[in-house]
Amino acid sequence: MLTESAPLKAVATEGVHIHLDDGRRLVDGTSSWWTACHGYNHPYIRAKLVEQLDRMPHVMFGGLCHDPALTLATRLADLLPGDLNHAFFAESGSVAVEVAMKMAAQFWLNQGRRGRTRFISFLGGYHGDTLAAMSVCDPDEGMHRMFTGLLADQIILPMPVDEATQAQFSEAVARHAHEVAAVVMEPLMQGAGGMRLHGPETVRFIREVCDAHEVLLILDEIATGFGRTGTLFACEQADVVPDIITLSKALTGGTLPLSVAVATTTIFEGFLSADPLKALMHGPTFMANPMGCAAALASLDLFAREPRLAQVAQIEAQLQRGLSPLAEIPGVIEVRVKGAMGAVQLHPGPAPDLDGGLPLDALRQRFSDLGVWVRPFGDIVYLMPPFIISDVDLQILIDAVGAVVEAWSGGALAA
Ligand SMILES: *Cc1c(COP(=O)(O)O)cnc(C)c1O
């Protein structure tokens, strides 16, 4: 069950296709983990990267700054809601989450309010694989039991979506506010923790409770950011402005590793001081890498001049039409669609193992046999294609999901 076949060898990408060394060409249903929103090898991003490569691939960001980072910070501030306007650039989503958590904790420290070092987060959440990020993940997903003693002890609650869980959340925030720096959450859609959805009213409720108890709110939009849920940022649908937002994944249009934590004026001002000990204690070597920033600027240009959000709306409608009927198949627990993401949750079977009990390897193999790149995890088969996908290619993905789920349900796919 835990054996996994060797990875397929990718030799090239183009548009919505991944080319393998055996000559096959797979239609990509994953956007390479949420990243390739404009499809692969977009000529405009490539051209901008070549320009930046010729001029300055990298320079340190301590004591020096550069236009790609300054312009990107300004453009992100213009696009983000409210006064989210001070950017800290790093190289991966996990590190952006670490930085956001440090910012929140040090914000309170700098005001002399000691002891506010814990975080509240949610079951089903995923925030990355470094140690602080892991500590706010779902306890199973984040392997909290295995790493007891290594991970900080956080307060992890059910998503407050009904009266009982809302009461539980309010009560926990009231009780722990004195020791909590911030609430950390993925708005509207929890991604790698299981593709679970909640409504905008839940995000608003969380913001209100945080405000009532002077607890900061970090929205982790590393997966949801840049259009995936239908608006450029998911928080727009909730009309909520967090104190800090984290972005990565589609930030560079799926080309280079770059992430950012963006804070509001209030958070930023909490670090303005003549005392060097009050500066934000973080400075990665490749901070604000100019190539990454150039790719992100090119990606933002594409969002500005190509109809990405309209494409997401079309994908959403086609996913709804195509995947909803699968809910009738025996063993299918639920079909969930939000923006350019569609997930089919399957019954994990009688003996869930680390993979949740599904014959993941057999499912994945069947997908590549059908000429598509779809990678189920846990108990979820999901599609999150590049936004530029044609309706013909999207239908190929949807039909493949239908065929594989049917085969699994009929017992044709075993571990
Ligand atoms: C992927 C992800 C991360 C971690 O990003 P990495 O670049 O893999 O470190 C954090 N939060 C969310 C919501 C993610 O989807």
Side-chain angles (χ1 to χ4, degrees), residues 34 91-95 97 126-129 186 191-192 220-224 246 248-249:
W34 319 86
E91 338 71 8
S92 77
S94 301
V95 172
V97 170
Y126 177 76
H127 301 284
D129 290 343
E186 296 157 273
D220 180 353
E221 293 227 30
I222 288 169
T224 54
T246 53
S248 184
K249 293 223 162 88

Side-chain angles (χ1 to χ4, degrees), residues 34 122-126 159 186-198 224:
W34 319 86
F122 299 99
L123 297 174
Y126 177 76
M159 190 60 73
E186 296 157 273
L188 302 192
M189 173 167 59
Q190 293 179 307
M195 305 292 184
R196 299 193 219 180
L197 305 177
H198 54 263
T224 54

